[in-house]
Amino acid sequence: MSTYSFRHGQWVSFPAPAALHAGAHRTSKGEVVGIFSRGGKDAAGNTSPDHIAVVDPEGYNLVSSVGGIVLNVQVHPSQVSAAPLLDKRDIPERRREIPKSIELKP
Amino acid sequence: MALLIPNEGEVQLLTDLLGGGTLENWTLKLFQSNTTPAETDTAATYTEANFTSYSAQTLTRTISASTWNTPASGSPTGSWASGLGLSGETSVAESPYGSSARSWTCGTTGNTIYGYYIVGATSTKLIGAEKFATARTLANSDTLSFTPRIGLA
């Protein structure tokens, strides 16, 4: 269970066996990388719960096919021991495009 | 979900707020990449839609009935009420865009649309992005409509 309170859009990581979330991007320590998204109602009027979206090495959402239906791989923060991802080298390279004047927030 | 303002959008908005002067318009775009917005994003993170008849839309930086509506305080609604951690916040300032929803109608060739993003028309900075709770697959004659809104709490 996560003990942190995450911000919307924050990079996070959590430990998971290699067989779980196959194809996920992992940190140098082998943890699964994802993005915390605060749930709620979107501009189109649909709702979603708080979740961590697991990403692939390109930074896109990891997807899984279940019974022929393609679903985004996501977990609830209460299901894993997630922590903020502080080393930007662990972010998928395509999504590290950070302005020179900005550092990742701790 | 909710609109995410990434790091570079925070800088751009603070520059606008403190610098004043003529404000650039924003461009509203739809994205077809399965991307969850993150704080490190730039406009290049997203793959823009290209379905038949698609075009980005200008969000003019004025306050009027047809552009950004007069900001008003009110009780938190939408994602603010249900998820953004505004516990104890009883009033937020908010402005929707226009008197009707922004709308796109798909032509012959469609896309799956995962959300929208807003880019500075001249700065090209990513101002914000939101992924829809449910992706929309647009085929010929399908319409996608929503109303952008922005606020401060």
Side-chain angles (χ1 to χ4, degrees):
Chain A
M1 175 170 300
S2 302
T3 57
Y4 296 92
S5 178
F6 300 115
R7 299 186 310 277
H8 186 46
Q10 185 172 11
W11 287 99
V12 302
S13 66
F14 60 88
L20 196 59
H21 307 314
H25 182 64
R26 290 186 178 253
T27 68
S28 57
K29 295 179 180 177
E31 293 192 342
V32 171
V33 174
I35 301 163
F36 175 75
S37 279
R38 188 73 72 181
K41 187 180 290 185
D42 66 19
N46 298 310
T47 58
S48 62
D50 288 358
H51 65 275
I52 295 170
V54 177
V55 301
D56 67 17
E58 293 294 311
Y60 297 113
N61 278 36
L62 183 68
V63 296
S64 177
S65 181
V66 179
I69 300 173
V70 177
L71 300 171
N72 288 323
V73 176
Q74 58 188 46
V75 297
H76 190 275
S78 66
Q79 297 175 316
V80 295
S81 296
L85 199 165
L86 299 177
D87 187 341
K88 63 185 178 185
R89 293 170 297 186
D90 284 331
I91 296 173
E93 186 172 3
R94 200 183 63 83
R95 300 194 67 179
R96 285 183 211 154
E97 296 159 349
I98 305 168
K100 291 177 182 175
S101 61
I102 298 174
E103 295 298 328
L104 282 179
K105 295 169 186 171
Chain B
M1 295 181 204
L3 181 72
L4 173 80
I5 297 176
N7 291 333
E8 73 167 21
E10 293 172 353
V11 173
Q12 186 63 36
L13 291 174
L14 192 58
T15 300
D16 287 353
L17 178 69
L18 300 176
T22 302
L23 298 174
E24 66 175 347
N25 287 331
W26 291 337
T27 306
L28 175 64
K29 303 181 177 191
L30 303 176
F31 63 86
Q32 58 168 314
S33 50
N34 188 1
T35 306
T36 293
E39 57 192 356
T40 52
D41 289 350
T42 67
T45 302
Y46 301 89
T47 303
E48 187 172 4
N50 61 357
F51 58 81
T52 305
S53 303
Y54 168 80
S55 63
Q57 298 191 19
T58 297
L59 300 177
T60 304
R61 295 285 293 282
T62 59
I63 295 176
S64 73
S66 61
T67 59
W68 292 105
N69 293 185
T70 301
S73 292
S75 299
T77 59
S79 60
W80 280 1
S82 56
L84 278 184
L86 296 178
S87 177
E89 184 76 72
T90 57
S91 179
V92 299
E94 193 175 50
S95 171
Y97 191 88
S99 55
S100 59
R102 302 297 94 193
S103 184
W104 292 261
T105 299
C106 182
T108 308
T109 302
N111 282 150
T112 296
I113 301 301
Y114 289 89
Y116 68 93
Y117 60 119
I118 297 171
V119 177
T122 54
S123 69
T124 71
K125 299 295 186 186
L126 178 64
I127 304 301
E130 180 175 23
K131 189 178 188 191
F132 295 139
T134 305
R136 281 288 311 278
T137 300
L138 298 181
N140 196 6
S141 301
D142 287 345
T143 297
L144 172 64
S145 301
F146 63 90
T147 299
R149 58 181 62 232
I150 197 162
L152 291 173

